[in-house]
Every structure is written in structure tokens, then in C-alpha cells.
Amino acid sequence: MKGPREQIVYLPCIYRNTEFMKPDYLATVDVDPKSPTYCQVIHRLEVPNLRDELHHSGWNACSSCHGDATKSRSLLILPALISSRIYVVDVATDPRAPRMHKIVEPTELMWKCGLANPHTSHCLGNGQIMIGCIGDPSGNGKGGFALLDGESFEVLGNWEKPGDATAFGYDFWYQPRHNVMISTEWGAPKALAKGFDMQHVKAGLYGTSIHVWDWSSHEKLQSIDLGMEGAVPLEVRFLHEPSAAEGYVGCALGSTVYRFFRTKGDWTTELVIKVPSKKVEGWAMPEMPSEVASEHVQESRPSDWLSCVAAGLITDILISLDDRYLYFSNWLHGDIRQYDITDRSKPRLVGQAFLGGSIQSDGAVRVLEDPEDREQPPPCVIKGKRVQGSPQMLQLSLDGRRLYVTTSLYSAWDKQFYPDMLKEGSVMMQLDVDNVNGGIVLNKDFLVDFGKEPHGPVLAHELRYPGGDCTSDIWL
């Protein structure tokens, strides 16, 4: 937290599902207020292929390699969610102008591991790279983990024991002090490829479980089914304090956050946050994710469990480096929330900001009933630009005082729920954070407009700082 202020950030920009037949690229954005190129894209590293769908990224080395003088955070690992390529990018030679170091072709991943659709990348303390995947080569759901050599980036094989792959995959976080790794689930790639379909949830093509792994033996120990209330558990975050045997997972379809923690023997979970759904009319899309949850739940649970039709859809969460605040985005409602988690079992809402979304006051959607009794928010306009889409990916400055936000989730879902964002491009925003008393406020002097890119409007996704951040570094 005492590290230097961020000056540049890296983020992948995606053209898949837009009208532009252009390759995705890694953008470098200047976030130094003293710089003449502040709030501008200063470099674009195009990948050599089309329709890759760059998504999340990780490092060849992070805090888990502390004490090893031979390791440095010099290479960004950039998996492509759809093509299954893995790009390795040199950010050390010239941090403001990254260059391609190596490309791992999808056949390596498929033939050696039986995996495809790589998502989350973490470095390991031994210097290897581990990448969690969400599918098999045929587009079916499969949660497995590929190991790459940290020097040659050769695919070495699977991390998990034979037969221990899970039905679905997505994110993972490990904690060696407790000899544990927790992984999560999204859905089958062939179900995700063209957008969200209610019937796919009813058909069992989306996950509802988190999985507990023995870190040293690589064996799956537990699968904890969160049910429809915890449907589609995405981002998982341990507390940063390495002795803490607990963390949180955000569940998209259930619009809930669960705390996971160790008991005397096994690991268990508890529901700690639930964003109430809103009854609405006038949705631009004929079918919304929460309707799936409602119908699916009412087949197996009391009919009053979920009766509203507009869920928040929690899509990203993060924990501040001091383990005091938890943040998450509600991608359908359009807000970011800040919770004080000093009492780990009872998060307390201390900050909220609406930055777009589907329920803006001048839109087609009218809120009929809101359990939180809030007015529909006005449109979000920054420097004359109306924000299309909704807050999604989050990154917090090391000192906890600035929260950066982008609006793209996944190109097929962007196209379905926020078609105007594909026409006008996504944006990057910044919120000022009160990290003493709680509170978040939009900085109206900060905007990176990806609708003005040279090859046409583009979808910007996850944010990374060159020096590491609170969603990529694991402390041992």
C-alpha cells in the first residue's frame, strides 16, 4: 500500500462481436495526472489473429515469488478466452510500449491438457505459470488447470489429478499457508459463445459450486454447491493477509456474495450479501438472467424465494490491500458498491455509485418495485460522453484511494444487453475513494473513451498495473 502511485495501466481491448474485423490489442493507458498524455491510450499492441477475445491477464512472477532474485514481474500472461491462444507480453523492456514475447498455440493446451478456453492466470512460487480453463476442446464445460514453464512457456500438463477436473471452471486463488486452493464456475463455452440463454441454465450448462483443492497434492477435497442463490460464482478473493483462512466469492446470477472460511476440518460458506432484485417493465431484452433464476428456483424451492425479474448481476469483486473494504459491480443495475468488511460475517454498505446500467431514469425500463426504495439513477455523463454499458471490471490503487472501472463484461453478453456500447465503445472511469470512513464518488475529470480508437469503437476489459495489484498478487 506504500508503493508508488500508478502511472500507467494495461488492459485488453476486444473487437470480437463488434462490426470491425480487427485484431484485439493490449492498450497502455496513461493515468498520471501530471502527464501531458493523461487519460489517453499511449500504445496498442495488436495480436496477430482475429476474434481471440482477450479477457483476463496475470504475471510471470508476483509476490508469491518474493525472495527469489531471479524472478521479476516482466511478462504479462494474456490468455484468449475464445481462441484458446496464450500470449506472453514483454512489459519490462519498455513498460509504456509492450511487445510480444511468445505465443502459445491452442493445440498445445488441447493436446497436452485436454483443456480449452483459458481464463485466470497466476504465477506460482516455484516459477511456473498456472492457468485455469473453463472448457474442453469441444466447447463443453470443464474446469481444469494447465501448467506452463515460467521460462520457456512450454505447456507442461495438468495441475489437477486425473479425474479431478470439475464440471465448469472460471477463477481460482491459492493460499499455501493453509495448503488450499479455491476455484469457481462460470458455464460451458458453447453456451456462452453467442450470449446468455435462459434455457441453458435450466439445462445445467452454468455452474453453482466452488471447489476446495489440496494445494500440495493437487487433489480435489470438496465441492460446495451454493444452489441457485449462489448461481454462477465468478471472482474469488482470499483476504490478502496470508494467515487468514477466509475470503469471498461473488455470484453473478444469484446477485450474492458468499464468505468462505475454514472450520476445524473442512471449508464452509455463508451468505453475507444479497442484492435485492427489482420488479420492472420495459426491459430492452426479452429475457433477463434473473428470470432464469426465478423459474429454475421455483421448480425446486418455495415460490416466494425469488419473485422479481431484474437482478443486479454481480460480475467483479475485489478486496482492498488492507482487507478492510470489499467492492463489487452490479452489471445490470449499473452500480458499484463498497462494503466495510471489518466484521467479516457482516459486511456493511458504506459507498455506492451508479455509472450507467439498465435502469437509468430516462431509459425504457421502469422500476415498479424496489426493495431498497431508491430512485432510478440519472444517466452517467462524463465530459459530455454518455456512458454506455455498465460498470464491470474493477481495479483499486495500491493506497486504496482510487477505483478504476471499465464497462465491458464479455463481448457476446455486451452485444446482447448493451448493444449501444458496441456502437459507441466502452469507457474507463475513476472513482475517488474515502478509505477512512467509506464512500465512493465519480471523478468527472477522468475519462478514457474507447469509442474513439483508430480502428473503431472497442470493448476494454480487465485492468493491470505494471507493479502488481490487489487482484493478481498472492502473498505467502
Side-chain angles (χ1 to χ4, degrees):
M1 293 187 69
K2 295 180 180 179
R5 177 175 173 143
E6 66 283 357
Q7 295 185 329
I8 57 174
V9 299
Y10 303 124
L11 65 169
C13 294
I14 296 92
Y15 274 118
R16 180 175 172 267
N17 275 309
T18 73
E19 62 181 273
F20 304 100
M21 188 63 72
K22 295 292 182 179
D24 297 347
Y25 57 90
L26 181 70
T28 306
V29 174
D30 189 332
V31 293
D32 180 1
K34 299 178 181 179
S35 170
T37 53
Y38 181 54
C39 286
Q40 295 180 30
V41 178
I42 59 174
H43 186 265
R44 300 167 186 87
L45 175 65
E46 289 190 347
V47 297
N49 301 286
L50 297 173
R51 301 298 187 251
D52 275 313
E53 186 98 29
L54 301 180
H55 199 61
H56 285 205
S57 61
W59 295 103
N60 66 314
C62 74
S63 297
S64 66
C65 300
H66 178 73
D68 186 345
T70 67
K71 305 297 179 185
S72 65
R73 191 185 279 102
S74 58
L75 298 167
L76 190 66
I77 314 302
L78 193 57
L81 188 62
I82 296 300
S83 72
S84 298
R85 291 185 180 89
I86 301 169
Y87 295 100
V88 182
V89 177
D90 173 6
V91 297
T93 302
D94 184 351
R96 299 176 71 87
R99 62 190 67 180
M100 193 64 67
H101 177 75
K102 185 169 183 176
I103 302 173
V104 180
E105 294 296 340
T107 49
E108 289 289 293
L109 193 64
M110 295 174 181
W111 292 351
K112 292 184 178 180
C113 300
L115 295 171
N117 311 102
H119 184 272
T120 298
S121 174
H122 278 300
C123 67
L124 307 185
N126 62 6
Q128 292 179 338
I129 309 297
M130 186 160 136
I131 302 179
C133 299
I134 71 171
D136 69 11
S138 298
N140 302 304
K142 184 179 182 181
F145 309 92
L147 287 175
L148 276 64
D149 182 270
E151 299 294 334
S152 67
F153 299 97
E154 176 187 358
V155 177
L156 302 175
N158 297 74
W159 178 86
E160 74 278 7
K161 293 288 187 182
D164 270 357
T166 57
F168 305 101
Y170 186 74
D171 196 18
F172 71 95
W173 195 286
Y174 63 87
Q175 183 42 267
R177 287 199 192 185
H178 300 285
N179 193 36
V180 70
M181 180 179 81
I182 305 287
S183 68
T184 62
E185 299 184 330
W186 187 8
K190 62 184 179 183
L192 303 169
K194 295 183 179 180
F196 183 85
D197 188 332
M198 298 170 61
Q199 300 305 316
H200 288 156
V201 175
K202 299 175 76 172
L205 296 178
Y206 283 87
T208 61
S209 298
I210 66 171
H211 306 281
V212 181
W213 303 79
D214 184 294
W215 183 242
S216 58
S217 71
H218 306 184
E219 295 175 312
K220 185 174 63 178
L221 302 176
Q222 288 178 257
S223 292
I224 304 174
D225 190 349
L226 302 177
M228 286 308 298
E229 201 161 22
V232 192
L234 295 180
E235 310 293 342
V236 59
R237 311 291 186 216
F238 265 91
L239 296 181
H240 298 291
E241 166 54 55
S243 64
E246 60 183 314
Y248 299 88
V249 58
C251 304
L253 205 56
S255 295
T256 53
V257 175
Y258 279 77
R259 172 179 171 250
F260 59 85
F261 56 98
R262 190 171 209 160
T263 60
K264 291 183 179 179
D266 294 336
W267 291 72
T268 191
T269 62
E270 62 176 348
L271 175 62
V272 293
I273 301 172
K274 179 171 177 58
V275 177
S277 297
K278 305 175 190 296
K279 285 188 177 179
V280 300
E281 65 178 9
W283 279 117
M285 301 302 300
E287 299 173 338
M288 302 302 290
S290 54
E291 290 184 273
V292 182
S294 180
E295 293 178 15
H296 194 78
V297 167
Q298 290 180 23
E299 293 173 0
S300 58
R301 297 190 183 185
S303 60
D304 62 352
W305 183 83
L306 181 60
S307 59
C308 300
V309 297
L313 205 75
I314 296 174
T315 51
D316 193 22
I317 70 170
L318 64 78
I319 298 173
S320 60
L321 284 178
D322 59 4
D323 290 334
R324 181 175 176 186
Y325 294 109
L326 180 145
Y327 300 82
F328 65 75
S329 51
N330 283 314
W331 194 64
L332 288 185
H333 288 177
D335 61 313
I336 294 173
R337 302 192 181 201
Q338 176 195 31
Y339 286 80
D340 186 318
I341 55 171
T342 305
D343 184 339
R344 308 301 187 198
S345 294
K346 297 179 180 178
R348 181 170 57 91
L349 181 64
V350 293
Q352 184 178 25
F354 279 87
L355 307 173
S358 296
I359 59 170
Q360 297 172 82
S361 58
D362 66 345
V365 175
R366 187 164 70 95
V367 177
L368 303 177
E369 294 181 24
D370 185 352
E372 297 179 302
D373 196 26
R374 291 189 172 94
E375 296 290 331
Q376 289 187 235
C380 181
V381 180
I382 310 173
K383 294 185 175 181
K385 164 81 172 183
R386 178 170 180 149
V387 173
Q388 301 293 348
S390 184
Q392 208 286 103
M393 292 307 297
L394 310 174
Q395 192 55 263
L396 188 66
S397 61
L398 299 182
D399 62 10
R401 298 171 67 179
R402 293 168 300 284
L403 185 68
Y404 294 92
V405 186
T406 56
T407 50
S408 171
L409 169 59
Y410 164 60
S411 68
W413 288 20
D414 294 346
K415 182 178 181 179
Q416 183 178 9
F417 294 111
Y418 294 112
D420 287 342
M421 182 167 59
L422 275 76
K423 299 175 184 177
E424 300 185 27
S426 63
V427 299
M428 176 179 167
M429 302 171 278
Q430 180 194 295
L431 291 92
D432 294 323
V433 178
D434 182 341
N435 61 350
V436 177
N437 302 304
I440 50 176
V441 178
L442 178 65
N443 178 355
K444 292 193 174 182
D445 293 324
F446 184 102
L447 177 72
V448 183
D449 183 359
F450 288 95
K452 298 180 179 179
E453 286 297 272
H455 293 318
V458 72
L459 304 170
H461 194 59
E462 188 193 44
L463 303 121
R464 284 276 174 256
Y465 304 141
D469 48 61
C470 63
T471 60
S472 64
D473 275 47
I474 294 176
W475 282 267
L476 305 183

